[in-house]
Amino acid sequence: MTSSCVVGHQGSNEHTIVVIEERTLFQECLARNLQAKTEYNVVCASGVEECVELCKLGTVASFLLCISDTRNAYDKCARLAELGAHAPTIVVAGDEEAEFIVGAIKSGVKGYIPTSMTLEAAIAAINFVVAGGVFVPASSLLNSAQVKGSNPASTKSPTNALFTARQASIVEALRQGKANKVIAYELNMCESTVKVHVRKIMRKLKASNRTQVAYLTNEIYKDRTLSAARA
């Protein structure tokens, strides 16, 4: 028997995140934290089948599929696709083996959040996926390559796809607290162009100001590397 819950009141954001987790305690803890720290509506499901009904509550921004047993992970992802779910699926799991992560992405998953990640970085990853990007924990892939004796330098980091090359340079400058005028001078750009890029970066991160951009990107680069769609 399955059960579902709606956490809190419907927020101002029409988009809903569906937390799929059969363990009630983990389900409620994750859902309540997401409800408290984001503007998404958050609902819970103990199984994939419940998602059909939950989709009727509003536009689903993403399915957060919590995996405690990796043996059935790919089947669950495939089942979500069979149900006609057009929203992206993000897997939350403790397994950081590169083979499993790559397999999940190949099965259609748009994001993979390891349980070792901080909540702030995880929320940033969710926002990227909802915006149309793809998130993978690059450090896990690199660590796996090192264990297997591969040359880490030869592994292409998904960080390169986080922003456009120009946006990545601007993000680095924002993290250093540089003003738009300084950024424009150093990158040989018009100050108005820098402002446009800053606005796009803020939209990707759902940040309300430059300080928040610096904080979120520090969390992202400190814990895991994000891979997302270009602006």
Side-chain angles (χ1 to χ4, degrees):
M1 180 177 179
T2 58
S3 62
S4 62
C5 66
V6 178
V7 180
H9 299 291
Q10 295 288 303
S12 58
N13 193 325
E14 64 177 355
H15 295 299
T16 297
I17 291 180
V18 180
V19 177
I20 308 170
E21 168 61 81
E22 59 185 14
R23 298 168 295 179
T24 304
L25 179 60
F26 289 94
Q27 177 195 88
E28 292 186 358
C29 287
L30 178 56
R32 291 184 185 280
N33 272 288
L34 288 175
Q35 184 69 46
K37 295 179 177 293
T38 72
E39 294 183 353
Y40 298 109
N41 299 317
V42 182
V43 298
C44 306
S46 58
V48 172
E49 298 297 334
E50 288 182 67
C51 295
V52 177
E53 293 301 319
L54 291 176
C55 284
K56 297 177 182 178
L57 294 176
T59 303
V60 175
S62 178
F63 293 102
L64 224 58
L65 179 60
C66 302
I67 300 295
S68 57
D69 184 354
T70 57
R71 291 174 299 179
N72 300 319
Y74 302 147
D75 291 339
K76 291 179 179 179
C77 294
R79 183 55 182 150
L80 278 176
E82 289 175 8
L83 292 173
H86 300 295
T89 298
I90 303 173
V91 166
V92 179
D95 193 330
E96 296 191 45
E97 288 296 321
E99 291 80 4
F100 181 71
I101 297 172
V102 172
I105 298 299
K106 286 183 177 180
S107 71
V109 167
K110 297 301 182 182
Y112 190 95
I113 297 177
T115 52
S116 59
M117 178 177 286
T118 65
L119 179 62
E120 288 78 8
I123 289 173
I126 292 171
N127 289 337
F128 269 103
V129 173
V130 171
V134 176
F135 168 83
V136 291
S139 61
S140 297
L141 302 180
L142 293 174
N143 288 340
S144 178
Q146 290 176 337
V147 170
K148 293 182 178 180
S150 301
N151 180 7
S154 66
T155 304
K156 184 179 179 180
S157 171
T159 320
N160 297 330
L162 174 53
F163 301 108
T164 64
R166 184 64 74 186
Q167 287 174 353
S169 299
I170 293 174
V171 165
E172 184 59 34
L174 291 175
R175 294 174 65 206
Q176 296 173 23
K178 296 180 179 178
N180 287 345
K181 185 177 295 186
V182 175
I183 297 173
Y185 174 78
E186 293 182 347
L187 298 181
N188 193 28
M189 299 169 62
C190 296
E191 187 174 353
S192 60
T193 303
V194 172
K195 291 180 180 178
V196 171
H197 282 301
V198 170
R199 286 197 295 270
K200 289 182 178 181
I201 292 167
M202 289 172 62
R203 282 200 297 271
K204 280 188 174 183
L205 290 169
K206 293 187 182 296
S208 57
N209 53 54
R210 298 160 66 95
T211 301
Q212 208 170 27
V213 168
Y215 172 77
L216 288 173
T217 51
N218 280 335
E219 283 292 321
I220 291 168
Y221 286 111
K222 178 179 69 176
D223 293 329
R224 291 291 182 271
T225 302
L226 293 181
S227 172
R230 296 180 183 274

